[in-house]
Amino acid sequence: MTLSQLLKRFSVLTLPAALLGGALFISLPAPVAHAAPPGRIVEGWYAHNATLIMLGAQDRIVGTVARPAMLPWMFHLVPELAEAETLDPGNLNAEELLALHPDLVFVTSSGHSAGALIRAGLNVAPEGFDRFDTMLDCVDGTATLLQTPIAAKRAQAYRSAFLQVISQAPTNPQGPRVLHVESLKPLRVDGDDSIIDQWIRSAGGLNAAQGIHGNKQPVSIEQVLSWNPDILIVAANAGDPEALKKDPVWSKIKAVQSGRIYRNPTGLFPWDRYGPELMLQVIWARQIVQTGQVNVPAMIRSIRSFYHDFYGISLSADDAQRMLDALPPPTDTH
């Protein structure tokens, strides 16, 4: 794909925010590609931090909505991020951003801040995706805006590797019913029209949350009982999945009775959501769905290779194991 095609595709991606559950921005100008790579970047979307880091731009982030308490692995493995100004994701203030003198500002296309920030004179790139193909386009488009050899190289390598991984995970219309729980208290699940739905199907399962549309949707335990999923995958920070075995209501569900409850791994960003680590999620989920267990040694090798190849991070086996177990980084005792 040529550079002009990438830019055209990227500019189109910034428009249909209504498809992602947010306001539709009409006639938003595409972000400006400067003669030199942007040296100062503001990141207004949690998930997109992981993409910028993968593309080698971590030392250019001068402001971010990411926080160590929310994304401990990101700040542990990318300490440069601690130097960035911490921003309020619900109130990206144009005056505050202008004071950072950014060359480029990334925001969510499902939010409401892009128009006001553009009118304030900021160079804004709205981002959003809910499918694998648009995620890859987001990575490519971001690399185009970054204008660096490492960004172009990693974006190309990532697209190739991701497509190879999902080609090995055919969908199965008769697969087990998988419920992905984003939060136990309050109870929220992920339905269709989401990338969670796509990785479930790519792993060979069916999304048990029938009739639920979008991410993080509140449901009742009675609704979960009616779905009676075969597999429960509980997000890394959703609560303790082991407690469900002792719960008188949850213990009636097939997945709990059969012991098919799993805590989702996590990394720089939660694997199960909207970042490049979706590649690892598909590999992990495929094992869960198709065999009911994880080949831990092989998964550890995949984790370490992934972060080395796409992030330039040398991850220890112990750290890879902690990610797989959805544990935070080890406490620094020095």
Side-chain angles (χ1 to χ4, degrees):
M1 185 175 293
T2 67
L3 178 61
S4 61
Q5 288 172 318
L6 277 173
L7 285 168
K8 181 179 179 182
R9 177 176 289 186
F10 181 68
S11 64
V12 170
L13 278 176
T14 67
L15 294 177
L19 299 178
L20 303 175
L24 178 61
F25 298 121
I26 303 299
S27 301
L28 282 183
V32 177
H34 292 284
R40 298 177 64 83
I41 298 171
V42 165
E43 181 54 86
W45 181 23
Y46 294 111
H48 195 251
N49 282 274
T51 296
L52 285 179
I53 295 166
M54 182 180 78
L55 299 178
Q58 62 269 23
D59 59 346
R60 289 185 273 161
I61 301 174
V62 296
T64 179
V65 295
R67 288 169 167 77
M70 179 181 291
L71 300 169
W73 279 108
M74 184 177 289
F75 283 81
H76 176 72
L77 295 172
V78 190
E80 302 98 310
L81 212 57
E83 303 299 318
E85 186 79 17
T86 301
L87 304 173
D88 179 0
N91 182 30
L92 288 176
N93 181 276
E95 185 176 346
E96 182 182 11
L97 299 192
L98 285 166
L100 295 174
H101 306 290
D103 301 310
L104 185 59
V105 178
F106 289 99
V107 298
T108 61
S109 56
S110 59
H112 302 275
S113 60
L117 297 180
I118 290 171
R119 288 191 293 273
L122 291 160
N123 187 29
V124 178
E127 291 285 0
F129 53 84
D130 61 357
R131 295 186 55 81
F132 291 165
D133 56 353
T134 48
M135 178 198 70
L136 293 173
D137 288 343
C138 174
V139 171
D140 289 344
T142 302
T144 298
L145 289 173
L146 292 177
Q147 303 181 66
T148 61
I150 188 173
K153 180 180 179 180
R154 286 186 178 172
Q156 182 180 22
Y158 181 81
R159 173 179 282 272
S160 177
F162 188 88
L163 291 175
Q164 182 178 8
V165 166
I166 62 172
S167 72
Q168 299 166 2
T171 57
N172 178 8
Q174 305 302 319
R177 290 164 299 116
V178 181
L179 183 66
H180 186 263
V181 179
E182 185 271 333
S183 170
L184 286 169
K185 295 181 180 180
L187 182 56
R188 294 193 299 260
V189 303
D190 293 296
D192 60 15
D193 296 328
S194 69
I195 211 156
I196 291 86
D197 179 78
Q198 192 171 17
W199 64 247
I200 288 173
R201 290 184 285 109
S202 183
L206 302 175
N207 193 340
Q210 295 298 304
I212 302 298
H213 309 296
N215 301 299
K216 305 180 181 181
Q217 296 300 307
V219 296
S220 66
I221 184 62
E222 291 76 18
Q223 179 66 76
V224 176
L225 283 168
S226 72
W227 289 327
N228 198 23
D230 302 301
I231 297 172
L232 275 175
I233 298 179
V234 180
N237 297 320
D240 183 10
E242 288 299 310
L244 303 183
K245 298 176 182 179
K246 301 176 183 178
D247 186 281
V249 180
W250 281 96
S251 59
K252 296 178 182 179
I253 295 171
K254 183 177 180 180
V256 179
Q257 293 176 344
S258 63
R260 299 200 72 179
I261 315 173
Y262 309 94
R263 188 192 292 271
N264 210 108
T266 191
L268 273 79
F269 194 73
W271 290 6
D272 47 357
R273 307 208 76 83
Y274 290 77
E277 287 147 302
L278 275 165
M279 186 190 300
L280 290 172
Q281 179 70 16
V282 172
I283 296 171
W284 176 83
R286 184 192 308 155
Q287 296 181 40
I288 291 296
V289 170
Q290 297 183 5
T291 71
Q293 59 186 358
V294 173
N295 182 334
V296 174
M299 198 69 219
I300 294 294
R301 290 193 295 271
S302 293
I303 293 168
R304 297 182 74 189
S305 294
F306 174 86
Y307 288 105
H308 176 271
D309 293 347
F310 300 108
Y311 282 86
I313 292 173
S314 296
L315 201 65
S316 71
D318 287 345
D319 280 354
Q321 181 71 66
R322 293 183 72 87
M323 286 186 176
L324 189 59
D325 294 338
L327 295 173
T331 302
D332 188 355
T333 57
H334 298 288

